[in-house]
Amino acid sequence: MGLLTEGTLLSWQETKQWADYVKRHGVQQFIKLFNKQRDRVNDVFIWGDETEYAIIKFEHDKKMARVSLRSEEVLDHMNMLENLGKLSSLWHPELGAYMVEAMPSKPYSGLIHELNMVETNMRTRREEIKQALNQGESLMSLTSFPRAITRNIRNRRRKKVIINVPIYKDQKTLTPHENLQDEKSERVVKNHIYMDNTIFGTGCCSLQVTLQASNIQEAKILHDHLAVLSPIMMALSASSPAYRGYLSDRDCRWSVIVNSLDDRTDEERGIKPRYSSVNSYLSSEGEILNDVEVVFDRRVYKELRDAGVDHLLSQHVAHLFIREPLFLFSENIHPKSEDDIFHYENIHSTNWQTVRLKVPSEGSSGWRVEFRPMEVQFTDFENAAYAVFIVLLTRVILSLNMDLLIPISKVDENYEEAEKRDAVRSGTFWFKTNIKKSKKAKDKTCCSDEWSYAKMTMNEIINGKDNLFPGLIPLIRRFLRRAAVEVDTLRTLQKYLELLQHRASGKLLTTAQWIREYILDHPDYRQDSVVTERINYDLLCTADRIQRGELKSPRLLGSF
């Protein structure tokens, strides 16, 4: 989710008292780091994934599945093994007491043959954590648990969060939460699944990819293009159709997590929430396409501009700093060194945008971009396929000098389309048709014909459309043909690409579609949109067997 650390957590009132101090020093920390790192060049391409998991406890005698609130105990054991040098992965806490996050112990390089190591590393993680799990527990890459920190968000907005997701309307579906209609009428929307706790959103697991660019200019280009791809990949990775014991009419966690992290007061409703799409493009090529007003702190903007930070980056950082710190540890109030950037990261890491520009760290890392919208899949094969696809796509964008940018308002429209039920098969998305970068881009308006974009289906975006768009995967295959890829790696990459091709075309189901079909076809389902305890148990048992490789699923995975 962001900057998770240990220490003495201050109360909301105490945190608020330090808010101006944190913001003022956070801006100064960014300026100092920017001036030190702005001319940094020729960093090698490295990358890694961050995969979030849920610990699930199966009570087979009772036919029940529950989340297991043992993440702290499990992580203590894994950190002990890490200190002994016995792990090939790193394990970190997440906001839910049943959640953990893992990543490779060292990043992957830009060598294509290392893409063949990703799935193996993901499988090894599951093996390594087994010894920390109790009898009946399983580590599952599960976006949302179908049946089921936060206090400061509630305190700042001065009331509970409000999450309403449209319920899937079946033949016998009744209005959920009818007993709450009177006492919570302003919060409970008819024919919606109502949730009032941040954990419903922050408790969702995701698959993230972080990539290091060669310099800040390249990082901005990747940031902008990945912003365009975010809603596309969110829809293609959709895996969360059920919440709080009900089947929803959505396939993604998008609106759930947006509203769960919404700390805005009633007076602030006109600005984007903390969890949102990117506020603007950062590269010079994208500036003309920033057609949505950005709310930003003008004092911070002026301070950044006076320090030599360019307009777009100043506007971006000044937008981040309209927020107050959500939390603060007493140990981190005063900087520990001249290079400390904790106050900057405090604000930056609690703006949960789908793509993040990350500044160089104290170690050897350079300017990085974090891609955050993808939902996690059941199997290591699938998660590796999605992560590798994004890595390959960034290589293609840079090597072919592609231009996928469309008006930022159209990207926002794509998010609304992406979370809808069955968006992969029935939705259409704004996407660029002319992908050749023009040398006169800065002289155009965003409405000119040369900025050609059109509504396309997922199949057309991923697999191509005659005389309109070549397709992202055909472009990747063209790139691989030009590269010297050894046979074994090429075979693996082809399988990954075929999985995404088949899901985009509808030949295979997305995880959300598979879960929905499983629930609807379950013998205990009563056409009432209710996910019963037994349905939940059977669903998770089946998913667990699939991820372990004990059960084939032709509708989800085909022959892979």
Side-chain angles (χ1 to χ4, degrees):
M1 285 299 300
L3 188 65
L4 295 180
T5 186
E6 295 181 353
T8 306
L9 185 65
L10 300 183
S11 69
W12 166 241
Q13 290 302 323
E14 292 172 318
T15 299
K16 192 173 182 179
Q17 291 174 7
W18 286 99
D20 289 341
Y21 175 90
V22 170
K23 293 173 68 172
R24 185 170 66 254
H25 283 78
V27 173
Q28 294 170 357
Q29 289 171 356
F30 175 82
I31 289 173
K32 183 175 181 179
L33 183 143
F34 176 80
N35 286 328
K36 183 178 180 180
Q37 302 285 356
R38 64 192 304 171
D39 297 323
R40 180 177 181 143
V41 295
N42 299 325
D43 279 311
V44 297
F45 172 67
I46 54 176
W47 72 280
D49 73 278
E50 301 95 43
T51 306
E52 296 169 353
Y53 304 88
I55 304 172
I56 304 297
K57 171 69 174 179
F58 291 98
E59 299 180 60
H60 297 295
D61 56 333
K62 299 178 182 178
K63 304 299 181 186
M64 294 172 62
R66 294 277 191 270
V67 291
S68 180
L69 308 180
R70 288 203 321 112
S71 63
E72 184 176 0
E73 182 181 342
V74 169
L75 287 171
D76 284 345
H77 184 87
M78 300 308 291
N79 291 335
M80 179 269 292
L81 295 177
E82 178 186 330
N83 291 334
L84 293 174
K86 295 184 177 181
L87 296 180
S88 62
S89 52
L90 303 177
W91 295 84
H92 299 291
E94 265 300 330
L95 284 182
Y98 56 90
M99 299 171 66
V100 292
E101 178 186 80
M103 61 188 69
S105 57
K106 62 179 181 179
Y108 303 110
S109 77
L111 299 175
I112 292 183
H113 78 265
E114 288 204 14
L115 298 176
N116 211 13
M117 300 164 56
V118 180
E119 186 180 345
T120 300
N121 184 275
M122 289 181 172
R123 286 201 305 268
T124 303
R125 297 173 199 175
R126 295 187 195 266
E127 290 300 316
E128 290 175 339
I129 203 173
K130 277 183 179 178
Q131 58 184 297
L133 300 179
N134 290 337
Q135 181 72 26
E137 288 181 338
S138 180
L139 184 77
M140 297 190 68
S141 42
L142 186 73
T143 297
S144 65
F145 186 77
R147 290 186 57 88
I149 156 154
T150 67
R151 188 178 299 115
N152 284 1
I153 289 176
R154 180 184 300 182
N155 288 340
R156 188 183 187 281
R157 64 181 275 134
R158 297 191 289 274
K159 56 185 176 183
K160 287 184 176 182
V161 297
I162 301 172
I163 309 167
N164 283 287
V165 180
I167 196 167
Y168 173 74
K169 293 290 288 184
D170 210 337
Q171 299 176 32
K172 301 177 182 178
T173 302
L174 301 175
T175 300
H177 321 300
E178 246 182 330
N179 60 320
L180 301 177
Q181 291 291 329
D182 293 332
E183 60 177 296
K184 299 181 178 179
S185 57
E186 69 174 71
R187 300 199 293 269
V188 181
V189 178
K190 188 176 182 179
N191 294 323
H192 282 63
I193 305 166
Y194 170 69
M195 294 167 276
D196 63 358
N197 194 293
T198 296
I199 197 62
F200 283 109
T202 59
C204 291
C205 298
S206 66
L207 170 66
Q208 300 168 12
V209 176
T210 300
L211 312 102
Q212 178 170 276
S214 63
N215 53 51
I216 188 173
Q217 287 75 27
E218 184 177 281
K220 290 179 179 180
I221 291 171
L222 290 179
H223 169 277
D224 293 358
H225 281 78
L226 289 174
V228 173
L229 293 166
S230 290
I232 308 303
M233 294 308 298
M234 186 172 76
L236 192 59
S237 64
S239 61
S240 48
Y243 301 92
R244 202 178 180 180
Y246 293 97
L247 195 58
S248 79
D249 205 39
R250 295 287 185 264
D251 277 359
C252 295
R253 75 197 193 284
W254 175 250
S255 59
V256 176
I257 194 167
V258 165
N259 289 299
S260 73
L261 290 166
D262 187 2
D263 70 329
R264 296 173 299 174
T265 63
D266 291 340
E267 296 77 19
E268 296 171 331
R269 304 307 289 181
I271 63 175
K272 278 188 174 183
R274 282 184 185 259
Y275 192 101
S276 68
S277 57
V278 302
N279 59 84
S280 64
Y281 293 128
L282 301 181
S283 67
S284 57
E285 293 88 347
E287 182 171 6
I288 193 66
L289 295 169
N290 286 331
D291 61 338
V292 175
E293 182 183 1
V294 179
V295 178
F296 59 91
D297 187 316
R298 296 190 179 278
R299 181 193 62 79
V300 172
Y301 174 82
K302 183 179 186 304
E303 186 177 356
L304 291 163
R305 293 292 283 140
D306 290 345
V309 183
D310 64 86
H311 159 63
L312 290 175
L313 187 55
S314 293
Q315 181 180 255
H316 169 69
V317 175
H319 169 76
L320 301 181
F321 275 78
I322 64 175
R323 318 289 183 185
E324 295 173 328
L326 276 180
F327 62 87
L328 187 62
F329 296 96
S330 61
E331 294 85 349
N332 297 115
I333 292 176
H334 301 291
K336 295 181 175 63
S337 70
E338 291 184 356
D339 295 324
D340 195 328
I341 59 169
F342 184 87
H343 290 323
Y344 168 73
E345 284 295 352
N346 186 309
I347 301 295
H348 176 256
S349 67
T350 53
N351 278 268
W352 292 282
Q353 296 183 350
T354 47
V355 182
R356 277 183 179 151
L357 177 70
K358 304 186 77 171
V359 299
S361 65
E362 288 186 23
S364 58
S365 63
W367 293 95
R368 291 154 294 151
V369 178
E370 184 181 47
F371 187 63
R372 302 167 47 79
M374 293 190 294
E375 305 207 330
V376 75
Q377 311 295 299
F378 288 158
T379 68
D380 300 319
F381 171 78
E382 296 166 275
N383 288 320
Y386 280 84
V388 166
F389 175 74
I390 288 300
V391 173
L392 285 173
L393 199 50
T394 61
R395 301 307 91 195
V396 172
I397 289 169
L398 294 176
S399 66
L400 299 183
N401 201 26
M402 287 169 54
D403 180 8
L404 299 178
L405 304 187
I406 59 176
I408 204 79
S409 61
K410 299 301 182 186
V411 177
D412 287 344
E413 287 183 32
N414 283 347
Y415 280 102
E416 297 179 13
E417 188 78 359
E419 70 170 333
K420 292 179 181 177
R421 174 167 55 90
D422 216 16
V424 166
R425 290 185 291 198
S426 60
T428 55
F429 304 86
W430 292 109
F431 209 77
K432 188 81 181 290
T433 54
N434 178 16
I435 62 173
K436 293 182 179 179
K437 186 173 290 187
S438 172
K439 296 180 181 179
K440 299 181 180 180
K442 293 183 181 180
D443 300 327
K444 302 175 187 174
T445 68
C446 66
C447 300
S448 70
D449 291 339
E450 294 178 78
W451 290 109
S452 52
Y453 51 89
K455 282 282 188 85
M456 285 193 253
T457 65
M458 184 66 71
N459 186 45
E460 291 166 346
I461 293 170
I462 300 298
N463 296 319
K465 183 177 183 180
D466 292 341
N467 302 319
L468 182 65
F469 182 66
L472 296 178
I473 286 184
L475 287 169
I476 289 175
R477 286 206 166 104
R478 184 190 306 175
F479 168 80
L480 291 174
R481 283 196 297 269
R482 296 176 180 177
V485 185
E486 52 96 13
V487 176
D488 187 53
T489 299
L490 186 60
R491 187 181 299 116
T492 299
L493 299 183
Q494 293 291 9
K495 289 179 181 179
Y496 293 161
L497 297 177
E498 286 175 20
L499 173 72
L500 271 65
Q501 279 190 298
H502 292 338
R503 287 193 171 170
S505 69
K507 185 176 179 179
L508 292 179
L509 301 177
T510 64
T511 304
Q513 291 165 342
W514 183 90
I515 291 173
R516 188 180 299 277
E517 284 196 3
Y518 186 96
I519 293 171
L520 295 176
D521 292 340
H522 194 281
D524 283 6
Y525 180 69
R526 297 294 178 257
Q527 292 77 49
D528 56 2
S529 308
V530 175
V531 182
T532 65
E533 192 74 68
R534 181 56 187 268
I535 294 175
N536 181 67
Y537 169 80
D538 288 343
L539 168 66
L540 295 186
C541 280
T542 303
D544 192 40
R545 293 184 64 201
I546 290 172
Q547 76 172 22
R548 292 174 185 273
E550 299 171 359
L551 180 67
K552 292 185 178 180
S553 180
R555 295 279 286 149
L556 181 68
L557 294 169
S559 60
F560 298 117

